[in-house]
Amino acid sequence: MTILVTGSAGFIGANFVLDWLAHHDEAVVSLDKLTYAGNLANLQSLEADARHTFVQGDIGDQALVAELLEKYQPRAVVNFAAESHVDRSIHGPEDFIQTNIVGTFRMLEAVRAYWKGLSGEAAGTFRFLHVSTDEVYGSLSPTDPAFTETNQYEPNSPYSASKAASDHLVRAYHHTYGLPVLTTNCSNNYGPYHFPEKLIPLVIHNALAGKDLPIYGDGQQIRDWLYVKDHCSAIRRVLEGGKLGETYNVGGWNEKANLDVVHTLCDILDQEQPRADGLSYREQLTFVKDRPGHDRRYAIDASKLERELGWKPAETFETGIRKTVRWYLDNQEWVNNITSGNYRDWVSKQYQ
Ligand code: NAD
Ligand code: DAU
């Protein structure tokens, strides 16, 4: 048996493949375009592992996806491939439309043709799991209840609008063609291999490099944080037991204001790797111009997943964030490789 995983060289995709092969002997075929966010170093530990095959390519290349499906006959496709950074979607939405909407559509077409050609048990057990985000639901006020699966979609950024469109396509392929799909909508992940354009790895990297820690606006925007390995275990659980055509919210019950997250990171770094001058990393905090259209609050109600499939996160924010800081301190070479080159162009464009 084999599964096809797209976006496998990115942050969550790589964690998923590594975790999958730590839990199963079932082979994985990885498909990734290797955009700026894709990094083969994330999968380096699998280099000599015969259970893993990596293919560089685009989910929007329908012929390639069809060829891979024919060749490897996967029993499931898990789709992580996407453009994922909100700020980049504000600077240039085009890639988001191409990959998240057109790419998902082309992949759905290839998968539909493959699934139609399956017979008997293989057709009945096949699954297409689409990995999505809580951002499709829009922004909450401080007193609103957390998002449930029945919340209306109200995406506010080009990124979340493109993810919402892809969710709708996946839903439509189930209702119209009967494609056996599952969708997960998860909150903010953090952990190993997180690209340092996102808040948590950016702050750790900048703190250690003696640079400013940029807080957008007043820093009171709220996100729900989930340790990436808990997201991976939720996806495995949904793939195994999820009801066809259903969506599942995934979250950590960890609502935090951005400023509190950054303070926590500074405090852990103060203990783990104190600054040479004895001052706190909090000294480096800087308030900068807000993100246009910045969503104020996200909160996920993950009780459906807990109730129906018995999933619970293993990490609290306190345990997960310590592990994360430790991982970055122990993997400075990984960070240094990423933060040379094109990364610098992005930082000067975004934080000039
Ligand atoms: P990421 O940007 O770290 O990785 C995305 C990966 O997809 C990269 O390896 C990239 O090379 C690849 N990719 C991009 N375009 C592609 C294409 N056209 N064809 C093939 N591969 C392509 O993103 P991530 O944070 O790992 O997110 C993975 C998925 O999870 C995304 O769909 C994202 O929307 C979703 N998600 C992310 C979070 C989060 O907090 N990071 C939370 C909820 C959902
Ligand atoms: O909610 C799930 C989403 O979480 C995923 O779908 C996205 O792919 C993922 O990138 C993430 O989106 P966010 O925009 O919430 O993540 P980011 O790390 O970019 O920002 C987190 C919060 O921190 C957000 O309110 C913006 C703020 N921020 C971010 C950066 C990069 C800052 O204040 N300063 C910064 O420099």
Side-chain angles (χ1 to χ4, degrees):
M1 303 276 257
T2 300
I3 62 166
L4 174 64
V5 179
T6 73
S8 48
F11 163 47
I12 310 175
N15 275 286
F16 180 81
V17 172
L18 294 170
D19 264 28
W20 180 270
L21 292 172
H23 285 89
H24 303 72
D25 267 333
E26 189 174 359
V28 175
V29 177
S30 277
L31 174 65
D32 197 295
K33 188 177 174 183
L34 296 181
T35 66
Y36 78 93
N39 183 357
L40 274 182
N42 300 353
L43 299 169
Q44 203 169 15
S45 60
L46 300 175
E47 236 167 26
D49 193 325
R51 299 170 302 168
H52 183 240
T53 306
F54 180 82
V55 179
Q56 182 173 2
D58 192 326
I59 57 164
D61 183 343
Q62 201 173 316
L64 172 68
V65 177
E67 187 189 315
L68 294 177
L69 292 168
E70 228 19 75
K71 181 170 176 187
Y72 294 102
Q73 297 282 307
R75 65 150 179 118
V77 175
V78 184
N79 181 33
F80 291 97
E83 289 293 334
S84 70
H85 191 32
V86 174
D87 293 323
R88 286 189 195 249
S89 83
I90 294 166
H91 283 280
E94 176 74 32
D95 288 347
F96 291 73
I97 307 305
Q98 285 310 327
T99 284
N100 300 0
I101 306 179
V102 180
T104 304
F105 159 67
R106 298 233 187 276
M107 195 171 44
L108 281 167
E109 280 291 275
V111 169
R112 179 164 75 94
Y114 166 71
W115 171 69
K116 272 282 179 207
L118 295 175
S119 52
E121 202 192 328
T125 55
F126 180 79
R127 298 287 181 269
F128 178 87
L129 192 150
H130 179 62
V131 180
S132 192
T133 170
D134 59 359
E135 300 203 9
V136 296
Y137 297 122
S139 186
L140 295 168
S141 79
T143 52
D144 281 335
F147 302 127
T148 68
E149 290 80 358
T150 56
N151 269 67
Q152 193 174 314
Y153 272 31
E154 290 178 357
N156 291 320
S157 71
Y159 162 69
S160 54
S162 68
K163 289 297 289 184
S166 68
D167 293 9
H168 290 324
L169 284 169
V170 170
R171 174 190 160 87
Y173 271 62
H174 176 68
H175 281 265
T176 306
Y177 305 115
L179 192 72
V181 307
L182 299 156
T183 299
T184 54
N185 293 91
C186 188
S187 59
N188 284 60
N189 285 214
Y190 64 99
Y193 306 111
H194 204 180
F195 194 85
E197 64 185 354
K198 311 281 169 64
L199 180 70
I200 287 179
L202 179 108
V203 163
I204 299 171
H205 171 62
N206 282 13
L208 295 172
K211 295 182 182 155
D212 288 348
L213 311 181
I215 310 288
Y216 297 165
D218 63 2
Q220 292 308 315
Q221 303 82 7
I222 290 173
R223 297 289 180 269
D224 168 76
W225 293 96
L226 180 71
Y227 191 62
V228 63
K229 286 177 188 304
D230 283 324
H231 188 189
C232 297
S233 74
I235 292 170
R236 289 199 304 274
R237 192 68 205 97
V238 172
L239 192 57
E240 200 181 349
K243 281 197 208 127
L244 294 188
E246 296 271 318
T247 66
Y248 294 89
N249 280 355
V250 187
W253 307 105
N254 284 312
E255 278 187 62
K256 307 271 177 209
N258 292 339
L259 195 56
D260 294 335
V261 170
V262 176
H263 282 156
T264 302
L265 289 169
C266 291
D267 296 348
I268 297 175
L269 283 168
D270 287 342
Q271 295 161 15
E272 298 275 333
Q273 188 144 316
R275 269 173 43 153
D277 61 7
L279 295 174
S280 169
Y281 287 99
R282 289 189 185 212
E283 299 288 325
Q284 290 165 233
L285 232 132
T286 316
F287 288 89
V288 300
K289 194 161 67 77
D290 207 352
R291 172 185 280 175
H294 200 170
D295 284 339
R296 197 67 185 164
R297 173 177 168 241
Y298 305 141
I300 272 280
D301 181 338
S303 49
K304 176 179 172 185
L305 182 54
E306 292 189 6
R307 194 176 57 248
E308 295 186 9
L309 298 178
W311 173 85
K312 264 195 193 314
E315 302 289 343
T316 62
F317 185 71
E318 288 64 33
T319 59
I321 200 72
R322 274 197 179 273
K323 282 187 181 175
T324 302
V325 172
R326 197 63 259 162
W327 188 89
Y328 280 89
L329 289 172
D330 293 343
N331 289 276
Q332 280 297 297
E333 201 186 323
W334 180 91
V335 179
N336 293 339
N337 286 339
I338 279 193
T339 51
S340 57
N342 291 344
Y343 175 78
R344 292 193 189 153
D345 301 338
W346 163 252
V347 169
S348 65
K349 187 170 170 187
Q350 172 67 5
Y351 299 98
Q352 64 196 338

